[in-house]
């Protein structure tokens, strides 16, 4: 199925969860903010939310330092 | 009559007036007279457009006097809006202490600062603390330092960890929120919790400011209306690429300027 991730179209398998997608993108779930169709998710939701055709994702990664 | 500025305020004086006579009439207690940026010991005739500052050494200006100076520097409209601002700062490390100092200097009315840490020797390479503050809780040390800059800024501190459960209570009523944590998971947690719970309140976060890479790689990025990230988005603090005062300071001041622009109703980026 097709998703839009940070403005780019990408194909992933049906039944992929957000955590699985993050793993695919080599991103750590606790270091990103995920917006699914403009709604910001909490970490618990990332694990159980199944992606659907046409979903729009914005994934914002944080690196350490302050 | 000629126009001069006295302690930042425009005024008109009679032609031929001298510095000492003006001092004796308006500020007889002043023991340091500065004209156009230079201390002046002898009496002299004042010229049109001279900028005169009269200081009584060792005396702290009153809130009204400081207000007058800030208003003159920042223009009354800007000063009025900034002084009504209430800003939350999550984290008082290199970013948070730098943001707090800039916002106190510019006269933001209220700062709410949270951190759970104490000042360690290794912090002094970039954070706004002093060597005699090692071991103090950061929020207390920072409050002391901010009061020495501008005692009229109201400062609330929270000495503890911020999480999704207490963020609203600790940062109650802030106009702008600053994410200034160090650890990437804490940054993400704070950003998600704030965006979920206070979607109308702008968030200015930071990511990617370690090392001594180019200054200009650090930018203010707009992610959404109400969500901004300062940094190069890439350079993590890691072995071989530590956090250093110049870039951390650049990022902190990007954040502070974004806050200032948001308080003034302008777009940060």
């Amino acid at each position: 199925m097709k998703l839009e991730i940070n403005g780019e179209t990408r194909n992933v398998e049906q039944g992929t969860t957000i955590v699985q997608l993050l793993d695919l993108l080599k991103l750590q779930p606790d270091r990103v903010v995920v917006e699914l169709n403009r709604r910001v998710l909490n970490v618990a939701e990332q694990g159980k939310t199944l992606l659907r055709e046409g979903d729009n994702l914005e994934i914002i990664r944080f690196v350490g330092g302050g | 009559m000629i126009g001069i500025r006295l302690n930042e305020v425009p005024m008109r004086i009679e032609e031929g007036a001298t510095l000492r006579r003006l001092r004796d009439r308006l500020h007889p207690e002043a023991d340091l007279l500065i004209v156009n940026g230079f201390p002046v010991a002898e009496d002299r005739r004042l010229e049109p457009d001279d900028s005169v500052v009269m200081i009584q050494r060792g005396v702290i200006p009153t809130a009204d006097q400081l207000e007058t100076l800030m208003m003159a520097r920042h223009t009354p409209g800007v000063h009025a809006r900034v002084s009504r601002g209430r800003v939350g700062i999550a984290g008082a490390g290199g970013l948070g202490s730098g943001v707090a100092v800039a916002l106190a200097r510019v006269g933001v009315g209220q700062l709410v600062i949270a951190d759970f840490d104490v000042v360690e020797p290794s912090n002094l390479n970039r954070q706004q603390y002093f060597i005699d503050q090692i071991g103090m809780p950061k929020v207390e040390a920072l409050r002391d330092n901010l009061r020495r800059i501008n005692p009229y800024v109201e400062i609330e501190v929270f000495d503890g960890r911020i999480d999704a459960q207490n963020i609203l209570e600790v940062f109650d009523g802030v106009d702008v929120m600053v994410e200034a944590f160090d650890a990437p998971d804490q940054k993400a947690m704070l950003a998600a919790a704030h965006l979920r719970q206070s979607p109308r309140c702008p968030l200015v976060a930071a990511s990617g400011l370690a090392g001594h890479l180019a200054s200009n790689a650090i930018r203010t990025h707009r992610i959404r209306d109400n969500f901004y990230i300062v940094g190069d988005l890439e350079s993590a603090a890691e072995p071989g690429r530590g956090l250093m005062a110049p870039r951390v300071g650049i990022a902190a001041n990007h954040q502070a300027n974004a806050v200032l622009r948001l308080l003034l109703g302008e777009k940060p980026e």
Side-chain angles (χ1 to χ4, degrees), chain B residues 56-246:
Chain B
Q56 186 182 5
R57 276 179 275 212
V59 172
I60 294 173
T62 64
D64 282 350
Q65 288 168 335
L66 197 62
E67 182 101 354
T68 306
L69 297 179
M70 305 271 261
M71 219 181 286
R73 270 290 147 125
H74 300 152
T75 78
V78 167
H79 177 74
R81 293 177 81 165
V82 169
S83 63
R84 281 198 302 269
R86 176 175 166 86
V87 177
I89 303 174
L95 292 171
S97 64
V99 170
V101 165
L103 295 181
R105 287 197 190 282
V106 87
V108 168
Q110 298 179 16
L111 299 176
V112 186
I113 304 167
D115 199 293
F116 60 82
D117 226 346
V118 299
V119 179
E120 291 180 44
S122 66
N123 299 152
L124 298 179
N125 85 326
R126 67 187 188 283
Q127 305 186 16
Q128 303 300 325
Y129 300 106
F130 297 99
I131 202 157
D132 56 7
Q133 293 178 316
I134 289 169
M136 276 178 82
K138 282 186 179 174
V139 291
E140 285 180 24
L142 187 55
R143 180 171 54 192
D144 289 353
N145 297 344
L146 297 173
R147 282 186 177 153
R148 290 186 64 190
I149 291 168
N150 183 342
Y152 309 113
V153 174
E154 286 178 41
I155 299 160
E156 292 170 33
V157 300
F158 177 78
D159 187 2
R161 284 185 183 271
I162 295 298
D163 56 32
Q165 280 66 54
N166 66 10
I167 183 172
L168 267 187
E169 193 187 334
V170 172
F171 295 107
D172 178 43
V174 299
D175 300 306
V176 183
M177 183 72 198
V178 177
E179 179 282 307
F181 286 148
D182 183 44
D185 58 331
Q186 290 294 297
K187 288 174 170 290
M189 177 281 297
L190 190 285
H194 177 83
L195 293 167
R196 285 166 61 85
Q197 297 180 40
S198 308
R200 281 160 208 263
C201 172
L203 173 67
V204 181
S207 180
L209 42 97
H212 54 270
L213 303 168
S215 304
N216 287 351
I218 291 176
R219 292 180 48 222
T220 301
H221 303 265
R222 189 185 80 93
I223 308 298
R224 288 256 181 279
D225 281 338
N226 279 356
F227 182 20
Y228 300 87
I229 300 185
V230 164
D232 63 25
L233 309 181
E234 296 291 335
S235 51
E238 59 197 19
R241 188 164 60 195
L243 295 161
M244 302 173 82

Side-chain angles (χ1 to χ4, degrees), chain A residues 13-66:
Chain A
E13 281 180 35
Q14 292 280 353
T16 305
T17 66
I18 289 179
V19 162
Q20 287 165 338
L21 175 71
L22 294 174
D23 191 49
L24 216 65
L25 300 171
K26 301 194 176 2
L27 292 170
Q28 289 176 251
D30 64 349
R31 296 183 177 195
V32 295
V33 171
V34 180
E35 258 186 14
L36 174 61
N37 302 323
R38 293 267 170 151
R39 200 177 75 83
V40 177
L41 307 182
N42 63 29
V43 173
E45 288 171 321
Q46 292 178 14
K48 55 189 181 204
T49 305
L50 276 175
L51 290 163
R52 295 187 206 181
E53 173 81 30
D55 272 347
N56 188 308
L57 283 145
E58 198 71 36
I59 303 174
I60 300 115
R61 177 179 72 117
F62 282 92
V63 300

Side-chain angles (χ1 to χ4, degrees), chain B residues 19-20 31-44 51-55 57:
Chain B
L19 184 61
R20 289 274 175 83
D31 57 3
L32 179 61
L33 307 178
I34 300 168
V35 179
N36 301 329
F38 296 96
V40 173
E42 70 287 359
D43 199 13
R44 64 187 268 183
S51 171
V52 179
V53 176
M54 298 189 178
I55 292 170
R57 276 179 275 212

